Amino acid sequence: MQHTVNPTNTAAGIKACLFDLDGVLVDTAVYHYKAWKRLANSLGFDFTEEQNEHLKGISRAESLNRILAWGNVKKSEAEKLELATLKNNWYVDMISHMTPAEVLAGTVDFLTSVRKDGYLVALGSASKNSGIILEKTNLAHFFDAIVDGNLVSASKPDPEVFLKGAELLGVAPNQCVVFEDAVAGIEAAKRGGMKAIGIGNKNVLTGADMVVSGLDKLTSQDLKRL
Ligand code: BG6
Ligand code: MG
């Protein structure tokens, strides 16, 4: 189902922070890249880091569709399921060895400060592996609600993942700010009627209300400017 929320003009003030996981809190892109490259190579074609950039925020199934199209390879739905499982097994092998040292700069301080200042905190990720990543990196305890790829049916840029987060936290969409590194995620936040802070390059994340290079560049005071 496609969701779109019309933003209202009633500035209710930000009460909740919704965080994407991969590329915002932790750098897992390299593990996704290695696993997809191994899969592509096993099918007889290559997969570049540049192509990997285009898969940010995109679900596992859709990522596989795009990779097969780049390699000009056709597979049945049953074969695709097998290939996605194979890639995920390789990926899970790698993320099982993650440690808190792989949390991106500024993440722990920022999560600590928004909680201290009374903001509610939720995860809004496309990943079905968020549980293991949050556990291995010791971030799980920061979250009041966790919404990931296991709970949603529509992928970003559909706002479902963030609307579910707002609902679980009991706040209105216009009281939420989303932190995202993917263009599809910024679009999802805006379609959900939320504020969006881009983590990355401002020339890429053009739809965001504010863009910073990482959470280490933000304090919870900055949320008052939204
Ligand atoms: C997103 C990543 O967070 O999760 C994508 O940016 C990934 O690259 C997607 O494909 C799904 O992740 P997983 O762990 O369920 O395969
Ligand atoms: Mg991301």
mmCIF file with all atom_site columns, all heavy atoms in Angstrom, residues 20 22-23 180-181, ligand 2:
data_model
loop_
_atom_site.group_PDB
_atom_site.id
_atom_site.type_symbol
_atom_site.label_atom_id
_atom_site.label_alt_id
_atom_site.label_comp_id
_atom_site.label_asym_id
_atom_site.label_entity_id
_atom_site.label_seq_id
_atom_site.pdbx_PDB_ins_code
_atom_site.Cartn_x
_atom_site.Cartn_y
_atom_site.Cartn_z
_atom_site.occupancy
_atom_site.B_iso_or_equiv
_atom_site.pdbx_formal_charge
_atom_site.auth_seq_id
_atom_site.auth_comp_id
_atom_site.auth_asym_id
_atom_site.auth_atom_id
_atom_site.pdbx_PDB_model_num
ATOM   1  N  N   . ASP A 1 20  ? 17.502 6.101  10.722 1.00 0.00 ? 20  ASP A N   1
ATOM   2  C  CA  . ASP A 1 20  ? 17.883 5.010  9.833  1.00 0.00 ? 20  ASP A CA  1
ATOM   3  C  C   . ASP A 1 20  ? 19.112 4.345  10.482 1.00 0.00 ? 20  ASP A C   1
ATOM   4  O  O   . ASP A 1 20  ? 19.755 4.949  11.347 1.00 0.00 ? 20  ASP A O   1
ATOM   5  C  CB  . ASP A 1 20  ? 18.230 5.588  8.456  1.00 0.00 ? 20  ASP A CB  1
ATOM   6  C  CG  . ASP A 1 20  ? 18.798 4.561  7.520  1.00 0.00 ? 20  ASP A CG  1
ATOM   7  O  OD1 . ASP A 1 20  ? 18.204 3.478  7.399  1.00 0.00 ? 20  ASP A OD1 1
ATOM   8  O  OD2 . ASP A 1 20  ? 19.874 4.823  6.916  1.00 0.00 ? 20  ASP A OD2 1
ATOM   9  N  N   . ASP A 1 22  ? 21.718 1.712  8.758  1.00 0.00 ? 22  ASP A N   1
ATOM   10 C  CA  . ASP A 1 22  ? 22.887 1.553  7.889  1.00 0.00 ? 22  ASP A CA  1
ATOM   11 C  C   . ASP A 1 22  ? 23.303 2.907  7.297  1.00 0.00 ? 22  ASP A C   1
ATOM   12 O  O   . ASP A 1 22  ? 22.509 3.547  6.616  1.00 0.00 ? 22  ASP A O   1
ATOM   13 C  CB  . ASP A 1 22  ? 22.567 0.581  6.737  1.00 0.00 ? 22  ASP A CB  1
ATOM   14 C  CG  . ASP A 1 22  ? 22.269 -0.833 7.249  1.00 0.00 ? 22  ASP A CG  1
ATOM   15 O  OD1 . ASP A 1 22  ? 23.028 -1.338 8.081  1.00 0.00 ? 22  ASP A OD1 1
ATOM   16 O  OD2 . ASP A 1 22  ? 21.252 -1.416 6.810  1.00 0.00 ? 22  ASP A OD2 1
ATOM   17 N  N   . GLY A 1 23  ? 24.519 3.346  7.578  1.00 0.00 ? 23  GLY A N   1
ATOM   18 C  CA  . GLY A 1 23  ? 25.001 4.602  7.007  1.00 0.00 ? 23  GLY A CA  1
ATOM   19 C  C   . GLY A 1 23  ? 24.706 5.823  7.864  1.00 0.00 ? 23  GLY A C   1
ATOM   20 O  O   . GLY A 1 23  ? 25.177 6.918  7.561  1.00 0.00 ? 23  GLY A O   1
ATOM   21 N  N   . GLU A 1 180 ? 18.696 10.380 7.988  1.00 0.00 ? 180 GLU A N   1
ATOM   22 C  CA  . GLU A 1 180 ? 18.812 9.473  6.842  1.00 0.00 ? 180 GLU A CA  1
ATOM   23 C  C   . GLU A 1 180 ? 20.027 9.765  5.979  1.00 0.00 ? 180 GLU A C   1
ATOM   24 O  O   . GLU A 1 180 ? 20.344 10.936 5.762  1.00 0.00 ? 180 GLU A O   1
ATOM   25 C  CB  . GLU A 1 180 ? 17.584 9.647  5.938  1.00 0.00 ? 180 GLU A CB  1
ATOM   26 C  CG  . GLU A 1 180 ? 16.547 8.586  6.056  1.00 0.00 ? 180 GLU A CG  1
ATOM   27 C  CD  . GLU A 1 180 ? 16.976 7.219  5.551  1.00 0.00 ? 180 GLU A CD  1
ATOM   28 O  OE1 . GLU A 1 180 ? 18.044 7.097  4.934  1.00 0.00 ? 180 GLU A OE1 1
ATOM   29 O  OE2 . GLU A 1 180 ? 16.241 6.258  5.775  1.00 0.00 ? 180 GLU A OE2 1
ATOM   30 N  N   . ASP A 1 181 ? 20.658 8.707  5.462  1.00 0.00 ? 181 ASP A N   1
ATOM   31 C  CA  . ASP A 1 181 ? 21.759 8.904  4.525  1.00 0.00 ? 181 ASP A CA  1
ATOM   32 C  C   . ASP A 1 181 ? 21.342 8.605  3.085  1.00 0.00 ? 181 ASP A C   1
ATOM   33 O  O   . ASP A 1 181 ? 22.152 8.784  2.180  1.00 0.00 ? 181 ASP A O   1
ATOM   34 C  CB  . ASP A 1 181 ? 22.964 8.009  4.882  1.00 0.00 ? 181 ASP A CB  1
ATOM   35 C  CG  . ASP A 1 181 ? 22.676 6.543  4.636  1.00 0.00 ? 181 ASP A CG  1
ATOM   36 O  OD1 . ASP A 1 181 ? 21.553 6.091  4.972  1.00 0.00 ? 181 ASP A OD1 1
ATOM   37 O  OD2 . ASP A 1 181 ? 23.546 5.834  4.105  1.00 0.00 ? 181 ASP A OD2 1
HETATM 38 MG MG  . MG  B 2 .   ? 20.896 4.092  5.322  1.00 0.00 ? 2   MG  B MG  1
#
